[in-house]
């Protein structure tokens, strides 16, 4: 049976006969045999192969193997005398599956910059760092599903094409047929009978299901026509949005904190080798940082306290601070990185800077919102308790200029058995950035979409 290198490394069954497939990373010849480093993508580590010159295709093929060639090998695992590895594979057969042109193959042994690799999203997952990011991303996704599943949440697939555009004002991509985009169709004859776009959030639809199933979550692609060239924004990203009935802001914050700790602990336990790579080459000390995050309670402050902290700061900010402003990235990072030095939950933002669906507090000025800010990134989670009172919600919608007719369904949720309910949105790529230390969000999604760029 064919085996994967990650399992061989774990079990290291010296003496066993195995078959492995993979890509050659390097070849080094001695007088009587060649060393080949084989990687199969299952883990960061390579399996060392020993190919003896007695093999029938040694001169004709093995000695011509270069970086990137794919091969299938058979042999026996033996204890290795070399440092840093317990076993090596003594080949009895090396079959070349695919050659790789050595003159043009861009991934040479030296380290390439992430900017250089961005121009080849079809080859970059073969590098150590991007391969490690892909495995950790996959494990984080699995961890999120496991977290919710273990707590009895149901996953809901909210729509990707949406006609609820109230959230997306200005940031939505419109969806139309080719005919429509050529201007040959009257608006009333449009495919969906009205303007449609790509979702900017599945929250409103998740609320529908929370008020039927209790606790739900959606985890899907999200689109924003953000014309910002930052290291934290993409035009297409993935968002996790849980929504819970009979749950106030407190319970919402607790869930978000528990979820982040759960998935981070899971990668520390299951992606050890990849995490060591990040710790060595990407963000020194990241393993200790994540352990600290898991062990300590998150800090909690209100927006008003956050503004007081910022006003008292010695540091000069580009965007001036006063009560009522939306916190900018520099403010968020100062609070979590410099002042609290840990994940920080900021609550009770001014109603004027938050959307209509957030629950108005007793003071009439602030809403039951909560953002989680983390060192190095800033906002990673945005959430709130939702307005469950029919009259207040309607008033807020009218004030926000929303067409009530289009949102009768949303108001109905408050007319028939309304309950306090809450939820949040976690940007999946920002979580992957935080967990790996990658500075730019373009490195943590396989095929990044940003203004002016959409490879593959
Ligand atoms: P920001 O102020 O950073 O643009 P936001 O307030 O627009 O964020 P929300 O609408 O609250 O964000 O979305 C919830 C979460 O989705 C954010 O906390 C963030 O983690 C993530 N997110 C938002 N916009 C993007 C984007 N363009 N690319 C990647 N992730 C994003
Ligand atoms: Mg935004």
């Amino acid at each position: 049976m064919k085996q994967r290198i990650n399992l061989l490394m774990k079990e290291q069954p010296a003496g066993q006969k195995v078959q492995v497939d993979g890509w050659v990373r390097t070849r080094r010849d001695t007088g009587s045999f060649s060393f080949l480093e084989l990687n199969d993508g299952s883990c960061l580590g390579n399996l060392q192969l020993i190919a003896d010159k007695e093999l029938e295709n040694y001169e004709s093929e093995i000695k011509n193997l270069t970086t990137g060639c794919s091969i299938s090998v058979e042999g026996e695992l033996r204890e290795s005398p070399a440092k840093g590895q317990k076993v090596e594979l003594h080949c009895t057969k090396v079959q070349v599956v695919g050659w790789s042109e050595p003159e043009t193959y861009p991934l040479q042994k030296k380290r390439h910059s992430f900017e250089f690799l961005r121009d080849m999203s079809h080859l970059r997952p073969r590098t150590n760092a991007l391969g490690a990011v892909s495995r950790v991303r996959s494990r984080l996704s699995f961890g999120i599903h496991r977290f919710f599943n273990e707590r009895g949440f149901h996953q809901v697939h909210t729509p990707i094409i949406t006609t609820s555009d109230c959230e997306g004002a200005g940031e939505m991509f419109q969806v139309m047929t080719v005919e429509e985009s050529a201007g040959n169709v009257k608006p009333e004859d449009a495919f969906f009978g009205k303007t449609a776009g790509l979702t900017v959030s599945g929250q409103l639809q998740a609320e529908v299901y929370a008020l039927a199933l209790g606790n739900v979550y959606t985890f899907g692609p999200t689109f924003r026509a953000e014309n910002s060239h930052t290291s934290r924004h993409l035009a297409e990203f993935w968002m996790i949005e849980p929504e819970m009935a009979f749950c106030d802001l407190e319970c919402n914050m607790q869930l978000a904190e528990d979820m982040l700790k759960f998935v981070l602990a899971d990668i520390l336990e299951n992606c050890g080798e990849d995490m060591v790579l990040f710790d060595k080459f990407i963000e020194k000390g990241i393993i200790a940082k994540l352990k600290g995050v898991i062990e300590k309670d998150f800090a909690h402050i209100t927006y008003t306290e956050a503004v007081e902290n910022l006003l008292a700061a010695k540091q000069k900010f580009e965007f001036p601070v006063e009560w009522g402003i939306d916190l900018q990235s520099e403010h968020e990072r100062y609070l979590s990185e410099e002042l609290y030095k840990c994940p920080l939950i900021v609550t009770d933002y001014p109603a004027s800077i938050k959307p209509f669906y957030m629950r108005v507090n007793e003071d009439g000025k602030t809403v039951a919102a909560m953002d989680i800010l983390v060192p190095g990134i800033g906002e990673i989670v945005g959430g709130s308790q939702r307005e469950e009172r029919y009259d207040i919600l309607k008033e807020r919608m009218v004030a926000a200029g929303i067409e009530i007719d289009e949102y009768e369904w949303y108001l109905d949720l408050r007319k028939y058995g309304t309950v306090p309910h809450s939820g949040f949105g976690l940007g999946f790529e920002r979580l992957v950035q935080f967990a790996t230390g990658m500075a730019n969000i373009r490195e943590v999604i396989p095929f990044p979409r940003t203004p002016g760029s959409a490879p593959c």
Side-chain angles (χ1 to χ4, degrees):
M1 216 200 38
K2 298 232 166 144
Q3 267 138 329
R4 302 277 286 161
I5 293 176
N6 58 344
L7 291 183
L8 289 181
M9 296 288 197
K10 234 185 243 163
E11 294 160 7
Q12 306 188 330
Q16 193 176 306
K17 295 214 166 15
V18 295
Q19 288 181 35
V20 201
D21 302 323
W23 292 268
V24 173
R25 283 287 171 86
T26 58
R27 192 195 85 233
R28 186 162 58 83
D29 304 327
T30 69
S32 51
F33 58 86
S34 296
F35 287 114
L36 296 164
E37 291 287 330
L38 188 74
N39 189 279
D40 70 355
S42 62
C43 61
L44 181 71
N46 301 324
L47 179 63
Q48 176 154 290
L49 312 180
I50 312 278
D52 197 273
K53 76 170 194 298
E54 300 305 323
L55 288 166
E56 52 143 4
N57 59 344
Y58 184 75
E59 288 297 332
S60 61
E61 295 192 317
I62 294 172
K63 277 189 81 175
N64 294 319
L65 286 171
T66 54
T67 308
C69 290
S70 50
I71 56 175
S72 286
V73 299
E74 289 177 27
E76 188 187 306
L77 280 183
R78 296 204 196 134
E79 279 187 27
S80 171
K83 256 209 200 140
Q85 58 187 26
K86 286 230 177 83
V87 288
E88 56 192 23
L89 185 69
H90 289 250
C91 302
T92 48
K93 189 172 170 192
V94 176
Q95 188 198 340
V96 180
V97 179
W99 294 101
S100 171
E101 254 184 48
E103 300 81 21
T104 55
Y105 190 54
L107 302 178
Q108 295 309 325
K109 212 179 163 225
K110 66 176 181 133
R111 257 209 266 167
H112 299 289
S113 75
F114 292 126
E115 288 76 13
F116 171 81
L117 292 170
R118 245 175 243 158
D119 288 334
M120 50 186 90
S121 42
H122 61 304
L123 296 175
R124 68 177 186 164
R126 301 177 183 199
T127 61
N128 284 342
L130 275 288
V133 169
S134 314
R135 283 184 294 270
V136 169
R137 182 181 166 109
S138 165
R139 184 77 207 185
L140 283 169
S141 166
F142 177 61
I144 281 161
H145 287 297
R146 203 155 65 87
F147 174 83
F148 286 122
N149 187 264
E150 284 177 8
R151 281 156 190 76
F153 281 63
H154 296 287
Q155 186 186 9
V156 179
H157 292 116
T158 49
I160 291 169
I161 297 179
T162 173
T163 52
S164 323
D165 63 353
C166 61
E167 264 232 274
E171 283 188 355
M172 196 180 261
F173 288 101
Q174 207 172 318
V175 171
M176 49 176 87
T177 64
V178 173
E179 278 279 279
E180 286 170 37
S181 68
N184 301 335
V185 179
K186 289 194 229 115
E188 58 274 27
D189 297 331
F191 191 92
F192 295 107
K194 52 180 158 182
T195 308
L198 295 177
T199 183
V200 295
S201 157
Q203 179 205 315
L204 302 190
Q205 292 95 345
E207 283 185 55
V208 170
Y209 273 77
L211 296 186
L213 303 187
N215 291 342
V216 300
Y217 72 105
T218 145
F219 184 172
T222 308
F223 307 86
R224 294 193 186 173
E226 311 243 28
N227 204 3
S228 46
H229 298 254
T230 75
S231 57
R232 306 171 308 123
H233 288 95
L234 291 163
E236 176 180 298
F237 61 100
W238 288 68
M239 185 143 68
I240 296 114
E241 294 176 276
E243 192 68 36
M244 294 150 287
F246 304 99
C247 170
D248 61 10
L249 194 68
E250 265 317 304
C251 122
N252 198 19
M253 291 191 285
Q254 193 60 53
L255 185 90
E257 182 169 340
D258 290 349
M259 180 183 77
L260 290 171
K261 289 179 171 175
F262 180 93
V263 297
L264 294 174
D266 183 58
I267 55 160
L268 287 180
E269 193 180 325
N270 293 292
C271 303
E273 200 188 16
D274 291 325
M275 293 309 298
V276 168
L277 175 132
F278 300 132
D279 205 81
K280 255 194 190 152
F281 300 112
I282 307 294
E283 181 184 330
K284 295 222 178 335
I286 188 168
I287 294 180
K289 174 187 92 175
L290 296 181
K291 281 188 179 152
V293 168
I294 293 162
E295 280 159 16
K296 243 177 85 182
D297 288 342
F298 290 7
H300 285 235
I301 55 170
T302 62
Y303 167 88
T304 304
E305 287 163 343
V307 168
E308 283 164 9
N309 280 328
L310 292 167
L311 288 171
K314 291 207 177 69
Q315 182 171 332
K316 270 252 163 285
F317 297 109
E318 190 189 336
F319 293 91
V321 177
E322 60 171 326
W323 200 94
I325 62 151
D326 206 355
L327 298 184
Q328 300 294 321
S329 169
E330 56 170 345
H331 306 137
E332 296 175 343
R333 291 187 57 175
Y334 169 78
L335 291 168
S336 61
E337 237 162 275
E338 310 282 325
L339 203 58
Y340 287 88
K341 299 185 180 5
C342 69
L344 171 68
I345 311 187
V346 182
T347 58
D348 305 300
Y349 284 74
S352 54
I353 56 167
K354 289 291 187 186
F356 68 92
Y357 52 71
M358 296 193 177
R359 191 179 196 278
V360 180
N361 287 329
E362 292 297 297
D363 62 14
K365 280 193 336 199
T366 59
V367 288
M370 65 105 176
D371 281 4
I372 302 186
L373 318 179
V374 295
I377 295 179
E379 182 186 333
I380 188 166
V381 164
S384 69
Q385 182 169 344
R386 320 305 187 189
E387 185 56 79
E388 86 284 10
R389 297 162 296 186
Y390 184 93
D391 294 336
I392 298 178
L393 179 63
K394 193 165 178 181
E395 231 173 75
R396 293 261 286 154
M397 289 170 83
V398 170
I402 289 163
E403 276 188 55
I404 298 292
D405 286 356
E406 295 284 322
Y407 288 89
E408 284 297 352
W409 61 272
Y410 192 67
L411 281 162
D412 272 358
L413 302 175
R414 279 72 181 168
K415 205 150 93 187
Y416 308 118
T418 192
V419 296
H421 60 289
S422 299
F424 61 84
L426 164 68
F428 186 52
E429 284 71 22
R430 294 205 189 160
L431 171 66
V432 184
Q433 273 189 283
F434 184 61
T436 59
M438 296 302 288
N440 198 303
I441 199 163
R442 292 168 175 84
E443 267 71 76
V444 299
I445 188 163
F447 302 99
R449 271 84 180 96
T450 50
S453 171
C456 290

